[in-house]
């Protein structure tokens, strides 16, 4: 008997007056990516997320950058999170929980994750520089907030120490990547079961 292999892939398109986004993901990929948001530093971060989570990501966003980077980053977070949620399906067989301590030169960041279906973000991250190129660094919180909401993730991110703003932000993305990778990996001992005594991880409560 051959086991049915379920592909964990999805595609999202979303257009508003603020952004036009197309995103596709393959959760069981190799970390290949093609990312264009017209914000090179943000692209660099999404590429890190793909590379270290092994989720293949193709993402294009045309946003109202003449205003600022806010709508683009918030909506990319939402669309990417929703694509991951859709690709996860009923969440059967996933490991569900994970945490990562991610060092990057002088800084250390911890990310704890529960693929719970119950969105929550804890963001204990202080960013010393107000801007990186044309991005206000406070918008990174908005990315993680909308990503955790649409993906249904309980996400606790804390920068334990660090000085360099580029490093701190990058360590947040990389620690998220490794945590997601481990949490959505299939548990070979538990393939046919949703890892919840309630029997579901798709409701809100
Ligand atoms: Mn970098």
């Amino acid at each position: 008997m051959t086991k049915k292999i379920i592909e964990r892939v999805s595609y999202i398109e979303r257009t508003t007056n603020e952004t036009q986004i197309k995103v596709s993901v393959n959760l069981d990929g190799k970390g290949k990516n093609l990312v264009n948001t017209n914000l090179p530093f943000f692209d660099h971060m999404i590429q890190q997320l793909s590379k270290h989570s092994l989720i293949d990501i193709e993402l294009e966003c045309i946003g109202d950058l003449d205003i600022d980077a806010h709508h683009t980053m918030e909506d990319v977070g939402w669309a990417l999170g929703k694509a991951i949620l859709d690709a996860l399906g009923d969440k059967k067989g996933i490991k569900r929980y994970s945490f990562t301590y991610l060092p990057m030169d002088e800084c250390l960041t911890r990310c704890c994750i529960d693929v719970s279906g119950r969105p929550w973000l804890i963001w204990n991250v202080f960013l010393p520089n107000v801007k990186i190129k044309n991005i206000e660094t406070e918008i990174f919180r908005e990315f993680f907030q909308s990503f955790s909401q649409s993906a249904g993730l309980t996400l606790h991110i804390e920068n334990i120490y660090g000085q360099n703003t580029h490093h701190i932000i990058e360590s947040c993305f990389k620690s998220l990547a490794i945590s997601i990778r481990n949490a959505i990996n299939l548990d070979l001992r538990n393939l046919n079961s949703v890892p919840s005594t309630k029997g579901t991880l798709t409701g809100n409560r």
Side-chain angles (χ1 to χ4, degrees):
M1 204 172 84
T2 53
K3 190 173 177 329
K4 194 173 150 210
I5 308 266
I6 296 167
E7 283 203 322
R8 299 194 299 172
V9 298
S10 75
Y11 176 72
I12 300 266
E13 250 187 86
R14 181 180 190 257
T15 299
T16 70
N17 290 335
E18 297 171 344
T19 57
Q20 286 174 48
I21 299 178
K22 294 177 184 173
V23 56
S24 66
V25 300
N26 175 6
L27 303 187
D28 302 299
K30 293 185 157 52
K32 285 185 299 180
N33 54 75
L34 199 61
V35 180
N36 187 13
T37 67
N38 298 301
L39 293 167
F41 180 76
F42 186 45
D43 290 353
H44 176 45
M45 295 300 110
I46 304 289
Q47 287 158 2
Q48 299 286 358
L49 181 59
S50 166
K51 181 73 184 173
H52 295 287
S53 66
L54 300 181
I55 298 175
D56 293 344
I57 298 175
E58 275 190 35
L59 183 137
E60 190 188 8
C61 175
I62 302 166
D64 55 1
L65 296 177
D66 47 321
I67 295 178
D68 67 8
H70 195 117
H71 300 141
T72 292
M73 290 172 61
E74 189 173 39
D75 292 5
V76 164
W78 185 89
L80 190 56
K82 179 70 167 67
I84 289 173
L85 179 73
D86 288 355
L88 278 168
D90 62 10
K91 300 177 184 166
K92 248 183 206 164
I94 65 166
K95 291 189 173 165
R96 179 176 171 181
Y97 294 100
S98 189
F99 69 89
T100 306
Y101 280 85
L102 198 294
M104 187 162 175
D105 295 352
E106 88 296 348
C107 97
L108 182 69
T109 295
R110 182 185 60 221
C111 174
C112 303
I113 195 171
D114 177 7
V115 186
S116 58
R118 299 201 304 275
W120 200 281
L121 176 71
I122 300 288
W123 177 255
N124 275 347
V125 180
F126 174 73
L127 298 168
N129 281 4
V130 173
K131 272 195 157 194
I132 291 188
K133 288 224 10 204
N134 50 348
I135 298 175
E136 270 102 22
T137 55
E138 66 177 11
I139 306 172
F140 283 97
R141 187 189 185 284
E142 305 312 308
F143 168 84
F144 284 94
Q145 171 68 9
S146 59
F147 179 80
S148 62
Q149 293 294 309
S150 65
L153 299 175
T154 307
L155 198 57
H156 294 214
I157 301 178
E158 176 156 275
N159 176 241
I160 297 165
Y161 45 77
Q163 272 102 48
N164 180 279
T165 300
H166 184 130
H167 289 164
I168 295 171
I169 295 169
E170 190 162 335
S171 68
C172 292
F173 278 87
K174 285 177 166 170
S175 62
L176 172 66
I178 306 282
S179 294
I180 285 193
R181 175 180 166 177
N182 292 331
I184 68 174
N185 255 354
L186 295 175
D187 184 342
L188 296 178
R189 293 175 58 198
N190 201 33
L191 277 181
N192 293 313
S193 160
V194 174
S196 163
T197 53
K198 202 192 326 185
T200 177
L201 289 172
T202 53
N204 261 350
R205 284 288 180 270

